[in-house]
Amino acid sequence: MVVESATALARKDVVGISQLDAGEIQLILDTAEELLDVAKRPIKKVPTLRGSTVVNLFMEPSTRTRFSFEVAEKRLSADTLNFSASGSSVSKGETLFDTAQNLMAMAPDFIVIRHPNSGAPHRLAQEVPASIINAGDGINEHPTQALLDAFTMRQHFGSLEGLKVVVAGDIRHSRVARSNAFLLAKMGAEVRFVAPASLLPLEVEELGVITFVRLEPALEDADVVMMLRIQLERQKRVNFPSMREYFDFFALTPERLKLAADRAVVLHPGPMNRGVEIDSLVADGSQSLILEQVTNGVAIRMAILYLLAGGPSEAASDS
Amino acid sequence: MGRTVARMAAEILERDGDSLMLVGIHTRGIPLADRLARALREATGCEVPVGRLDITLYRDDVGPWRPAHQQPVLKKTVLPDFIDDQVIYLVDDVLFTGRTIRAALDTLADWGRPTAVRLAVLIDRGHRELPIAADVVGKALDTTRDEDVQVRLAEVDGEDGVWIGREADNGG
């Protein structure tokens, strides 16, 4: 499978990996590759988006993703407005669309949205003319995370094709797992989901992944091991007996990591629960690419902002 | 074209000696910078450092305020050394509106503070939209604004030559 890079991301929004084709994914990864260099220069800023405005609308807590978007926006010289659920009119009962309508009066070019409800970015995209970028919606998708994961894998292995990728943890509540499954399938990698049966989603077969209820068999020959956090805030009831027991059966320890391929690398979207899903020796070990993921995340978000600035038309640029 | 490049190299040498850096602008400025470096080496035996510049992020037509357009594909900027206190020769194939050079100057400014920045172009076809002039010109061409001037280089296009016309018909 040879994936040809698309020539443009001819769309208004990036709301999910499920809407993107392999060529568009490749274009985003290639563009991020060049934008990664901006961080290595004496002046870590380019004027590309000067005069444009980005609203960061975060209706759910986030540190990494919010900072990452903000750094990306600033490196491209966009003006940023930060809006979070607490301390805003949302806590006074305003609906998402009233909030959005009011924000539109400030004429933003982009809205980066994180929202607890799945599908909120998609609905917002239909309502407002600004470009919408999904920074995580409920248990649906987290496209920029999957793109930065893919970028990190490609950077390390050269290509995504044929990679065996284990995604282990709270799959049911993970938009990261879903976006990764969509993306890796489109790019020709093999995805293995591992979780206690109570934490596997019901429609998992539709994602085209292989499922395991134990970590050890899934790790065999694996090139990438991506550990996910247990999302206690999204669980209405406890789906496993105790954190201790979860660690005993599902945590990535140095011994378990030896079952994977010698060249295997470890990813984690953060925030990590050390001693729950991942042993500190693995998190800080030589096979860990967790901090590279953070660096790469900025480049991926810059790439999406840059590519969306062209707008939805296929019209060629005048050079 | 070989003779023109050799003459350009001689002019550079006369003006700044061999203590300088050549920086080619994507796409055809890069093989031109390589050819100038080769000509300088043949003339002096000295190896001149050569860099490459992608000006896309500094263009004035890539922001979201522009009508819908296709964003240009980004390419690599590689500078072989710090550019502070160096004489930099920007190298490009055709000088037209001057907007590319404006963007190139802004790009360089974010990489450092050269002693001087000069401009060497193979073809100056006039019709500037900004107050920019070349220091070393291979050939000045009288053109009308709507004519298309194309430089083709073997490294990129498989052949050497300069074409003028609405269509790419051979105009010499």
Side-chain angles (χ1 to χ4, degrees):
Chain A
M1 183 174 100
V2 177
V3 177
E4 287 279 335
S5 203
T7 52
L9 196 60
R11 40 178 82 246
K12 177 169 101 51
D13 315 288
V14 171
V15 290
I17 298 295
S18 51
Q19 288 88 355
L20 300 177
D21 63 37
E24 290 176 304
I25 291 166
Q26 190 88 337
L27 175 67
I28 295 170
L29 300 181
D30 290 347
T31 305
E33 191 85 49
E34 307 305 334
L35 288 165
L36 200 58
D37 287 348
V38 173
K40 298 175 189 156
R41 314 178 341 171
I43 294 178
K44 298 171 185 55
K45 196 175 180 78
V46 291
T48 318
L49 295 185
R50 68 198 183 289
S52 61
T53 304
V54 187
V55 170
N56 296 311
L57 186 59
F58 277 72
M59 316 297 258
E60 246 187 11
S62 164
T63 309
R64 210 169 322 261
T65 304
R66 189 163 57 83
F67 273 31
S68 180
F69 267 108
E70 211 176 327
V71 171
E73 292 151 10
K74 290 189 160 145
R75 292 223 168 121
L76 289 169
S77 300
D79 294 317
T80 62
L81 296 171
N82 292 315
F83 188 99
S84 55
S86 59
S88 72
S89 320
V90 175
S91 55
K92 298 172 190 163
E94 188 173 75
T95 68
L96 173 64
F97 295 105
D98 285 332
T99 304
Q101 290 300 338
N102 278 282
L103 292 173
M104 281 319 293
M106 298 169 209
D109 300 284
F110 304 90
I111 297 177
V112 175
I113 177 173
R114 164 164 295 190
H115 201 280
N117 295 346
S118 303
H122 309 65
R123 294 210 34 218
L124 191 60
Q126 290 163 4
E127 298 283 326
V128 301
S131 284
I132 305 299
I133 302 172
N134 183 358
D137 63 322
I139 57 169
N140 180 39
E141 281 225 42
H142 192 349
T144 59
Q145 179 70 45
L147 285 160
L148 77 88
D149 293 337
F151 184 86
T152 308
M153 294 177 212
R154 197 181 77 158
Q155 195 176 43
H156 191 82
F157 293 109
S159 160
L160 297 171
E161 199 190 338
L163 287 183
K164 298 184 177 72
V165 182
V166 172
V167 183
D170 188 352
I171 305 283
R172 175 178 249 169
H173 301 96
S174 177
R175 52 198 175 204
V176 175
R178 273 173 64 85
S179 286
N180 262 294
F182 289 135
L183 188 152
L184 292 167
K186 289 179 188 200
M187 303 306 278
E190 177 189 307
V191 185
R192 304 169 180 174
F193 275 179
V194 188
S198 58
L199 290 177
L200 275 174
L202 305 173
E203 79 295 8
V204 72
E205 290 77 17
E206 294 165 21
L207 294 171
V209 302
I210 312 166
T211 59
F212 294 83
V213 291
R214 286 182 57 236
L215 187 54
E216 287 82 355
L219 286 172
E220 196 177 321
D221 295 333
D223 301 300
V224 179
V225 188
M226 185 186 302
M227 300 306 295
L228 303 174
R229 180 175 68 94
I230 292 293
Q231 304 199 28
L232 292 170
E233 72 275 21
R234 286 189 215 285
Q235 301 192 6
K236 292 187 183 72
R237 62 192 169 85
V238 179
N239 290 297
F240 50 90
S242 73
M243 292 292 197
R244 182 73 231 169
E245 188 168 324
Y246 187 85
F247 181 86
D248 289 344
F249 284 94
F250 290 100
L252 189 61
T253 58
E255 298 71 41
R256 288 200 176 111
L257 184 55
K258 287 199 187 92
L259 299 172
D262 290 340
R263 63 171 192 164
V265 295
V266 177
L267 303 183
H268 195 303
M272 274 189 289
N273 291 317
R274 288 169 184 265
V276 180
E277 73 269 4
I278 191 164
D279 191 304
S280 275
L281 290 171
V282 173
D284 306 325
S286 61
Q287 287 165 282
S288 166
L289 296 181
I290 295 171
L291 292 176
E292 279 82 348
Q293 286 177 277
V294 180
T295 305
N296 293 340
V298 174
I300 283 291
R301 286 157 185 137
M302 287 172 77
I304 290 173
L305 287 162
Y306 170 74
L307 292 169
L308 285 183
S313 158
E314 303 249 9
S317 85
D318 50 337
S319 53
Chain B
M1 189 175 297
R3 249 193 345 241
T4 309
V5 171
R7 191 173 46 69
M8 290 170 71
E11 270 184 57
I12 291 172
L13 210 54
E14 192 178 334
R15 182 165 190 152
D16 288 295
D18 55 13
S19 162
L20 53 93
M21 187 194 291
L22 295 168
V23 177
I25 299 174
H26 277 285
T27 302
R28 287 173 187 77
I30 289 169
L32 268 181
D34 288 336
R35 289 186 191 195
L36 280 172
R38 207 155 45 230
L40 287 170
R41 188 173 56 225
E42 279 160 16
T44 66
C46 282
E47 204 68 52
V48 173
V50 184
R52 47 178 63 193
L53 207 62
D54 179 37
I55 57 127
T56 309
L57 296 168
Y58 293 78
R59 283 169 62 148
D60 56 10
D61 58 358
V62 293
W65 57 87
R66 295 270 306 166
H69 59 280
Q70 186 175 317
Q71 292 289 67
V73 172
L74 301 183
K75 303 191 180 100
K76 278 241 174 315
T77 290
V78 182
L79 296 172
D81 199 355
F82 290 111
I83 62 170
D84 284 12
D85 306 320
Q86 298 233 40
V87 175
I88 306 285
Y89 268 85
L90 287 171
V91 181
D92 207 359
D93 55 346
V94 180
L95 178 57
F96 181 23
T97 61
R99 288 178 190 272
T100 297
I101 304 306
R102 195 281 306 157
L105 290 171
D106 285 352
T107 312
L108 277 184
D110 280 358
W111 283 87
R113 188 175 184 281
T115 308
V117 181
R118 306 202 202 287
L119 175 60
V121 296
L122 188 66
I123 304 292
D124 180 351
R125 60 162 295 188
H127 304 286
R128 220 74 78 232
E129 292 170 4
L130 295 169
I132 278 169
D135 300 279
V136 176
V137 177
K139 189 169 176 51
L141 288 181
D142 258 337
T143 62
T144 59
R145 205 173 182 312
D146 56 356
E147 273 174 325
D148 185 25
V149 176
Q150 284 187 13
V151 169
R152 295 193 199 154
L153 297 173
E155 295 91 325
V156 181
D157 310 291
E159 57 182 341
D160 273 359
V162 180
W163 277 259
I164 308 170
R166 297 254 165 77
E167 308 288 320
D169 55 317
N170 193 335

